């Protein structure tokens, strides 16, 4: 606008503002793809069973149920909500209700109701975290315990079995040669990705995670956005639990145990920052793929379960270490 | 009279019917049950023994999840003159001096029976995979130990390809089975699962991978209804019926006798039956 | 009025504990007795010792999810070494292993500058894997069951060895946190690490030693547990972490760091133990017990939140301060 | 006012090395990824002097001082303290040499007491045990000496920003430093507090301490400094005794050219009242505040720090609640409960705390600018990429944000450019009322003139502007009418012609001056 300013421009846009280190930049963007490639290469050499359609379909099927949760968990981490530890309870809720209500209202309504009630758990988390400012770890831990207790009490603390074989067959079946659960996962992932990357809600989520007060002062409904991330995760976990119940045709309260950690692991390995404000669904899914491939290769190589845990632990530590190192260098 | 029942868990395919049977029988006997659930956490169970003692109950029925850990608690109960018995799972020998009796299946024997059944199915040779329960759990240790020891004992030509833990969980069994099938393929000529739910997981994985091929002989334990179905349809070779209802009833009956001042045997087993295609229609499923 | 609220808030743990005891005493026959007290204390000791360590860490703004795994590992090591070293030296080695695990946690958190939530999630997997690895997933047995029985003995009608140790630890910690310079520095680091660092407080060192302290106490708890049960098991302590965090938070220590107290933790641990005992006395199903403890946790935290927010309208403006990255050192 | 100060502290006898230079930095270069913040800077300060450092936003002043205080490691260059070369790897090293720094951003611990904050890192005690009484006594003495009425036992987080700033200064002062660095210490202090600070600084100077003083307020620099060093674009331009330099010369050195009218008068046509505030109260920080602002008008809101101006602005914008009173926009009563409603009604607010409330650091300039109007750039919830980019390009160009790359992460910009981005963000929302809270705080002269220009254009186009500022000359130069706030209460709007600096101070402090 003024002469002064344009002069300032030309002055300061010289070498004082060079770009960040190319190498580091590149590494942050492609590191995970390279790692995935390395695992695939290693797997192909170490085991003849690895590079087969059957095995890849296996891996895809195995990661679908957890993958749906990963998509939701990405929102929680990005919005700066640390983690949703109520996932096991929500999964159990989805599984138990979608089986338990089958005889009463039929399979499809049962599934819908199960997912909706899971979403309700998420909105309680959301209200506590988003509107009352309770620490997410505590809120989700507490609500998870309560929800699980209530669901358990509702079915009298026993196991629920499926009553509708057709729905089980559908979920276990294939469409165009691809397992139905995989298709559902892909659909959830694509929707999740577009919401986070292309919709105003996603931009709001990133902004809220990046700087809460500034987002608030920019007319972003921060409380709702923060709460929304927990609702999204809960709905995803509810879908995941429902599918899990349908495939297994039985559901017990502890069915979702460990899923929260697996989901966080995938998201973090994918390079989504636990501090919020940064991350995307494809990244998280890349993290999931990497973890799944690595586990698969270890299993095929006959590595014992404890050692797998060991490797996974080191992987997470490495991933967060890398994240912080890149962050320090101003990339990522 | 009040009896403290420290059970493994509230909701579990096996434990739930056992708990229910025990409770119902206790109602008949006019015994009040103080029901404490460990939720599969040993730590919690050892602490719950404290509650039983503090509450001053008349007897303790403990479902141990570890061979040793409960000993001091049992000793404390003995000091307070509270008689204790074990249900379902055994403990180490040192525990014997603190308990009146152990009622329940012999998990080690179940392993042996499973080994025999699988040997018959495979003509004593070939290679198998073991899908085990939770690592470190007494039942897992017994069932795997009995199986492996038996094969050794009879100098069997059956080779164990791998033993993987699936925590008595159908979903985990499904996942590990997928990997096992990819990894060993045709080499899997037999499967031993520590319980029927995990056997189910393997069957599902097998059907996913080879929809047209029949399953290899699979032996499970517990004798669930759907395992009976699988035996009928030929998907499974055998299961070992171990009735949770019997398990629960026997424990409370034994406790009732103790409370009446009677002497009881230190080892009261519940009957075990191997079920195959032959007798599947004449035996009642466990639950 | 505000005065009253402030006082009630300050002593809320004590009030809730007193309430729990009174109500339980009225409803549950035989609840208020010496045996209940002594056995209740004993059962609180394991959680209490780990909680003592975690209190320091939380005040310093960090968290440790690996406590349960350290608990198991230390117990296993001390049990395995009994035949070769003798019971007491083996116990010391077990505690040392706990400290070492803490040092690994601390070293990585400080060295890599990573979020401790994710990092200790990773080390939790690693330590647990090591525990399974060295025991081949079988519980290991100690040499002398008689020693266990002495350990489990109740002395002076009130204390077992470990409950006495727990009480001593928590009182020492209270004095240390409130009376020493190093103790105040822990608060400073948790409240604003950058500012503390700039003021010459070695924030990294405080955090590092905080992790060692937490690890050592988890080690102590694990070793004592293995002595009392004559067993070292890789599955021990898997459910502890949640109970410990709940106890510390009920005790009024903030997860965000900078605020908390040792006596509060004592109150939190005792409250949770008293509550559990009362419900077990009444044979309340486990899932309903979960609902109750979950509700207490959430209620206390929400109360804390809302009362503070109300305080704001009456003068102070914590919002500007609590959500201002300048004053919170960039923490959201 | 001019009452005598007695230093309670022991007299400081700086050990003079071979030189009377307290510190000398030679050939300092510091690069960040993508930015060369300092290049080959030489800088020396004598004992017993106040040495001012001035320069535009992003000139590298704070970076240079962080190198001196051990927070940053220089890429190259040497530092001598008291004549001997020093390696400053961490803040503690610098402190051991008697260097204390008052940061531009507050650097305190909110959960500890004021006294604990002042003595953080060096609390008095025996055998590791804290001596609370001694600490309290000393802290009380230091605070009294600074003429502040802060309770040393208060939890720091309960203080206002300006009080915290005073604690920060007290903390540095209490450490008996040989060299003290103040990075814009007065940016949130009132004139009254600034005057008190200057008295202390003079005392310290007379005691032989070397003082480095960074400020954008050249009037203050002329008043307090003995020497001045000018930085521009990361390079040292010149060091001169203050006696031989005028404000305009300084500005010229800073920007490398002459800047004529620092506070341009905006000749806009004033129309109808747009926003009318009818005796609003929030039940805590302000009560019964009424004023109106008209189209094409700049209304100044002035007062001492903590007078409640920011709270009034936040309340109007829906960031905090109004208990009593109403707002009238364009003749209609409106109720505003959230910033979103405020934006819809046509109110925008540029907050005072740029880093805390203004920018989303991880996002690009583009994403920051489109945030408040994001909904209008969407179809069925999806963002139209082209609309988003066009908007950002337009404002980056119009405000000459530098570097002119909308995809650059906003936290890599200098303070002034960040501020421009924040203002741009709000103009994108096309408000009819714009509230600016300290829009030029910590902003250099060049950028300040630009921002004033921008504001001038806005009112010329008929916007109503409320401007909160702590700088009297700025308010008197720019605003058409002025509201003075004191203790949560507001005077009626007064025409600028009827006001002088003295008159405003009298209203703001409640003291009539002769
Ligand atoms: N940590 C950092 N990472 C990257 N760039 C930085 C960092 N700190 C400062 N810079 C850049 O270095 C340059 C100098 O910044 P500095 O904060 O020293 O300026 P300043 O003179 O203090 O400005 P102001 O008056 O706005 O405070 C700026 O271009 C800034 O963007
Ligand atoms: N961060 C804070 N914490 C606690 N109280 C605060 C804080 N900021 C301001 N206050 C209090 O709120 C009231 C109004 O402050 P406000 O910030 O609105 O004043 P201001 O005139 O805008 O001053 P400033 O120049 O600091 O912005 C004062 O009583 C002040 O003490
Ligand atoms: Mg600066
Ligand atoms: Mg203000």
């Amino acid at each position: 606008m003024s002469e002064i300013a344009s002069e300032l421009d030309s002055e300061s846009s010289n070498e004082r503002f060079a770009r960040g280190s190319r190498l580091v930049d590149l590494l942050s963007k492609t590191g995970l793809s390279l790692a995935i490639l390395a695992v695939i290469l290693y797997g192909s050499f170490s085991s003849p069973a690895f590079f087969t359609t059957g095995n890849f379909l296996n891996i895809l099927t195995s990661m679908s149920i957890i993958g749906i949760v990963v998509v939701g968990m990405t929102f929680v981490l990005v919005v700066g909500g640390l983690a949703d530890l109520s996932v096991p309870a929500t999964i159990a809720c989805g599984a138990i209700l979608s089986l338990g209500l089958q005889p009463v209202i039929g399979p499809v309504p049962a599934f819908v109701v199960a997912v909706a009630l899971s979403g309700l758990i998420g909105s309680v988390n959301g209200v506590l975290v988003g509107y009352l400012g309770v620490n997410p770890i505590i809120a989700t831990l507490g609500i998870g315990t309560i929800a699980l207790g209530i669901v358990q009490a509702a079915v009298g603390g026993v196991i629920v079995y499926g009553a509708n074989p057709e729905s089980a067959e559908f979920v276990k079946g294939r469409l165009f040669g691809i397992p139905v659960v995989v298709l559902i996962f892909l659909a959830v992932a694509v929707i999740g990705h577009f919401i986070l990357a292309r919709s105003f809600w996603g931009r709001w989520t990133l902004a809220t995670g990046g700087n809460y007060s500034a987002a608030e002062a920019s007319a972003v409904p921060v409380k709702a956005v923060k709460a929304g991330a927990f609702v999204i995760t809960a709905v995803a976990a509810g879908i995941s639990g429902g599918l899990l119940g349908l495939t297994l045709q039985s559901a017990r309260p502890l069915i979702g145990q460990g899923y929260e950690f697996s989901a966080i692991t995938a998201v973090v390995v994918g390079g989504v920052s636990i501090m919020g404000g940064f991350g995307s669904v494809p990244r998280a899914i890349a993290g999931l793929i990497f973890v799944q491939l690595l586990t698969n290769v270890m299993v095929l190589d006959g590595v014992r379960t404890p050692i797998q845990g060991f490797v996974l632990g080191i992987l997470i530590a490495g991933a967060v270490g890398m994240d912080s190192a890149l962050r320090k260098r101003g990339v990522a | 009279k009040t009896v403290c029942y420290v059970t493994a868990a509230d909701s579990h395919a096996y434990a739930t019917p056992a708990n229910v049977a025990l409770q119902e029988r206790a109602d008949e006997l006019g015994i009040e049950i103080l029901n404490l659930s460990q939720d599969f956490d040993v730590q919690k169970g050892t602490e719950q023994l404290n509650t039983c003692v503090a509450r001053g109950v008349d007897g303790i029925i403990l479902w141990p999840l570890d061979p040793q850990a409960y000993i001091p608690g049992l000793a404390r109960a003995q000091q307070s003159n509270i008689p204790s018995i074990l249900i379902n799972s055994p403990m180490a020998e040192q525990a014997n001096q603190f308990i009146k009796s152990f009622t329940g299946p012999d998990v080690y024997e179940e392993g042996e029976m499973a080994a025999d059944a699988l040997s018959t199915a495979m003509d004593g040779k070939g290679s198998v995979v073991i899908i085990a329960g939770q690592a470190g759990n007494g039942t897992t240790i017994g069932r795997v130990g009995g199986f492996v020891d038996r094969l050794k004992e009879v100098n069997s030509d059956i080779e164990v390809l791998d033993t993987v833990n699936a925590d008595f969980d159908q979903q985990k069994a499904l996942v590990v089975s997928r990997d096992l099938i990819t990894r060993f393929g045709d080499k899997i000529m037999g499967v031993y699962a520590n319980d029927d739910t995990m056997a189910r997981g393997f069957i599902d994985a097998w059907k996913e991978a080879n929809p047209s091929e029949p399953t290899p002989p699979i032996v499970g334990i517990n004798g669930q209804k759907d395992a009976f179905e699988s035996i009928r349809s030929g998907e499974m070779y055998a299961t070992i019926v171990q009735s949770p209802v019997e398990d629960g009833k026997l424990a409370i009956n034994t406790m009732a006798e103790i409370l009446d001042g009677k002497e009881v045997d230190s080892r009261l087993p519940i009957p075990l039956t191997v079920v195959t295609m032959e007798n599947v229609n004449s035996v009642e499923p466990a639950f | 009025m505000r005065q009253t609220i402030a006082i009630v808030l300050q002593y809320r743990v004590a009030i809730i504990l007193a309430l729990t005891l009174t109500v339980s005493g009225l409803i549950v026959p035989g609840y208020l007795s010496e045996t209940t007290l002594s056995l209740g204390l004993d059962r609180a000791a394991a959680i209490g010792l780990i909680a003592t360590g975690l209190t320091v860490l939380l005040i310093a703004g960090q968290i440790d999810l690996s406590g349960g795994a350290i608990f198991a590992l230390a117990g296993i090591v001390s049990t395995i070494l009994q035949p070769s070293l003798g019971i007491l030296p083996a116990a010391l080695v077990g505690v040392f292993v706990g400290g070492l695990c803490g040092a690994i946690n601390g070293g990585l958190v400080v060295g890599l500058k990573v979020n401790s939530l994710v990092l200790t999630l990773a080390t939790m997997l690693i330590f647990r894997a090591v525990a399974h690895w060295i025991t081949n997933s079988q519980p290991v047995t100690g040499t002398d069951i008689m020693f266990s029985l002495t350990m489990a003995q109740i002395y002076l009608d009130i204390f077992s060895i470990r409950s006495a140790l727990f009480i001593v630890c928590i009182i020492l910690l209270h004095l240390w946190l409130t009376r020493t310079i190093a103790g105040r520095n822990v608060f400073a680091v948790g409240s604003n690490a950058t500012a503390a660092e700039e003021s010459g407080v070695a924030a990294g060192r405080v955090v590092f030693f905080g992790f060692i302290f937490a690890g050592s106490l988890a080690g102590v708890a694990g070793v004592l547990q293995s002595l009392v049960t004559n067993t070292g098991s890789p599955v021990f302590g898997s459910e502890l972490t949640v109970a410990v965090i709940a106890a510390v938070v009920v005790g009024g220590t903030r997860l965000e760091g900078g605020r908390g107290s040792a006596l509060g933790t004592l109150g939190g641990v005792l409250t949770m133990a008293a509550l559990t005992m009362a419900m077990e006395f009444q044979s309340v199903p486990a899932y309903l017990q979960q609902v109750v403890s979950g509700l207490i946790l959430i209620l206390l935290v929400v109360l804390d939140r809302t009362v503070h927010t109300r305080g704001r309208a009456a003068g102070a403006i914590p919002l500007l301060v609590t959500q201002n990255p300048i004053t919170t050192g960039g923490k959201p | 006012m001019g009452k005598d100060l007695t230093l309670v502290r022991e007299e400081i006898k700086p050990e003079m090395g071979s030189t009377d230079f307290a510190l000398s930095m030679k050939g300092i270069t510091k690069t960040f990824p993508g930015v060369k913040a300092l290049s080959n800077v030489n800088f020396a300060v004598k004992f017993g002097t106040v040495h001012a450092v001035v320069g535009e936003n992003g000139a590298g002043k704070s970076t240079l001082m962080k190198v001196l205080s051990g927070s940053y490691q220089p890429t190259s260059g040497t530092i001598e303290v008291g004549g001997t070369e020093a390696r400053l790897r961490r803040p503690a090293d610098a402190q051991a040499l008697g260097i204390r720094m008052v940061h531009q951003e507050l650097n305190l611990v909110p959960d500890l007491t004021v006294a604990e904050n002042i003595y953080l890192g060096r609390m008095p005690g025996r055998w590791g045990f804290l001596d609370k009484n001694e600490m309290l006594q000393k802290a009380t003495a230091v605070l009294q000496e600074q003429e502040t009425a802060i309770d040393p036992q208060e939890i720091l987080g309960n203080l206002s920003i300006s009080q915290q700033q005073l604690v920060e200064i007290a903390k540095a002062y209490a450490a008996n430093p040989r060299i003290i660095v103040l990075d814009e210490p007065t940016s949130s202090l009132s004139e009254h507090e600034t005057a008190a600070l200057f008295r202390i600084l003079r005392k310290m100077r007379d005691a032989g301490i070397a003082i480095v003083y960074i400020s954008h307020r050249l009037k203050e620099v002329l008043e307090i400094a003995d020497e001045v060093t000018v930085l521009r674009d990361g390079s040292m331009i010149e060091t001169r005794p203050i006696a031989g330099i005028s404000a305009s010369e300084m500005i010229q050195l800073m920007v490398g050219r002459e800047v004529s009218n620092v506070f341009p008068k905006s000749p806009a046509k004033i129309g109808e009242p747009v926003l009318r505030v009818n005796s609003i109260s929030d039940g805590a920080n302000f009560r019964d505040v009424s004023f109106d602002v008209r189209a094409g008008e700049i209304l100044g809101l002035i007062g001492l720090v903590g007078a409640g101006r920011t709270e009034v602005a936040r309340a109007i914008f829906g960031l905090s609640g109004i208990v009593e009173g109403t707002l009238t926009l364009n003749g209609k009563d409106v109720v505003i409960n959230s910033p979103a409603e405020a934006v819809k009604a046509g109110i925008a607010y540029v907050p005072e705390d740029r880093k805390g409330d203004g920018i989303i650091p991880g996002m690009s300039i583009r994403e920051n600018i489109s945030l408040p109007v994001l909904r209008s750039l969407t179809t069925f919830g999806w963002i139209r990429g082209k609309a988003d980019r066009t908007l950002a390009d337009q404002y980056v160009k119009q405000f000459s944000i530098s570097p002119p790359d909308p995809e650059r992460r906003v936290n890599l910009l200098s303070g002034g450019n960040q501020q421009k981005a924040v203002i741009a963000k709000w103009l994108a929302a096309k408000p009819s009322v714009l509230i600016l809270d300290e829009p030029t705080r910590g902003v250099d002269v060049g950028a300040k003139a630009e921002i004033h220009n921008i504001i001038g254009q806005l009112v010329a186009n008929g916007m109503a502007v409320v401007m909160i500022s702590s700088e009297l000359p700025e308010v008197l130069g720019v605003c058409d009418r002025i509201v003075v706030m004191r203790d949560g209460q507001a005077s009626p709007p007064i025409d600028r012609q009827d006001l002088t600096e003295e008159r405003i101070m009298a209203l703001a402090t409640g003291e009539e001056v002769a």
Side-chain angles (χ1 to χ4, degrees), chain C residues 179 184 192 198-199 254 313, chain D residues 95 108 111 116 130 171 284:
Chain C
R179 299 289 164 82
R184 300 314 295 168
N192 184 346
E198 301 273 347
S199 311
R254 258 195 341 190
Chain D
Q95 287 165 13
L108 295 165
D111 289 308
E116 282 171 333
L130 175 65
K171 175 179 163 185

Side-chain angles (χ1 to χ4, degrees), chain C residues 317 320-321, chain D residues 158-160 285 304-311 352:
Chain C
I317 307 184
L320 279 178
V321 176
Chain D
N158 296 338
L159 301 182
S160 71
N285 300 309
L304 297 182
V305 164
R309 299 162 296 167
T310 297
E311 283 304 317
E352 62 178 333

Side-chain angles (χ1 to χ4, degrees), chain A residues 14-15 43 53 61 90-91 108 113 116 173 184 208 248 253 273 283 295 318 324-325:
Chain A
N14 57 20
E15 20 84 61
T53 329
T61 317
T90 327
I91 288 183
V108 175
V113 171
I184 297 179
T208 306
L248 298 179
S273 169
R283 262 177 182 271
T295 318
S324 106

